[in-house]
Amino acid sequence: MPESKLSIVTVVGSLNIDYLSSVTHLPAPGDTVAASQLRILFGGKGANQAIAAARQGAKVRFIGSVGDDDTGRSYLDYMTKQKIETDNILQRKNITTGSAMIAVDQKGENMIVVAAGANAEISPDDIRQAADQISTADILVLQFEIPLASVTTAIKIANKTKIPVVLNPSPIHDEFPWGELIINYLVVNAGEAEVILGMPITSITDRSQVQSLLAKLKIKNLIVTRGSKSTLTFTEQTVIETPTLSVSPVDTVGAGDAFCGTFAARLAENPGTLLSDLVMAANCAGALTTLSHGAQDPIPDRETTDATLQDFQAL
Ligand code: RIB
């Protein structure tokens, strides 16, 4: 019997060290608030999404950059232990690994300040050097925590070689050349959707208006996650509303990343899967990620996601 081929997800993105403080309430400008606890954890949107995809069973390659120091090296070791290919994670001299200062309040809401560090050093040339890692993948996944020129270079390689692109444009960047590149799946929250499309997206938003904007922007499918509300997916033909689990979140950091990585892994594994099923599984992984602290530790594996999905669908 021929050996079954593992689906390959290539992630081009960021790796951060997260300094996560637990606070009773988030500070207002000028405030100082006391934290009850500080956790120092591996994070970064790119790495979080890569880990989510790997836990769903995909073979994951990562293109990114860390500092050439003990922190960078321990992040590489950790990624290897998470079964992620690290050959294309560059170690940069004289710069620290990216970091994120995060405060999470008692309702699980957060504020994040990111210092890009080595993430800012991944260049379009580095991406071109690793072009085969993109052109031989099943799916390319990207976010906006590395230079925009590197993001667009990676997307151009994927577009040229017809590799589907999952883009999570977070944190939002107003200089992205919307409409010049094909984005197969754009995964955004409601705020990001409004900035990109210039209109609020709700369940009563006029579908044809959204679809004609998406056509202009060359976005094939728009997926709008809305926290505890249903996720809205606009395709070229229709709009799908997918429910999510009702949970009491402890920490929402990384929930969107768990969504993206899970979505990408399952799409890579079976491109024929119904979009509503992909989104349902991704919603489950996202919700489960909010149940304990940190971006990566709570990201569920395949078995846990499937068991939760089954219970949810049986309701
Ligand atoms: O999406 C969550 C991530 O955003 C955190 O892990 C942090 O590193 C920031 O990049």
Side-chain angles (χ1 to χ4, degrees), residues 14 16 18 43-45 48 100 102 112 114 145 253-254 257 295:
S14 57
N16 291 333
D18 288 353
K45 292 183 194 303
N48 301 345
I102 306 176
I112 306 183
V114 176
E145 281 189 332
V253 175
D257 299 329

Side-chain angles (χ1 to χ4, degrees), residues 249-311:
V250 170
D251 173 353
T252 54
V253 175
D257 299 329
F259 181 101
C260 292
T262 302
F263 179 87
R266 289 180 181 239
L267 177 65
E269 184 180 307
N270 184 357
T273 313
L274 288 177
L275 253 180
S276 55
D277 289 346
L278 294 173
V279 172
M280 183 75 96
N283 275 349
C284 271
L288 290 171
T289 301
T290 69
L291 298 181
S292 57
H293 286 286
Q296 295 181 1
D297 288 352
I299 294 175
D301 61 13
R302 179 71 176 233
E303 217 184 327
T304 311
T305 312
D306 283 344
T308 310
L309 201 52
Q310 252 185 2
D311 290 349

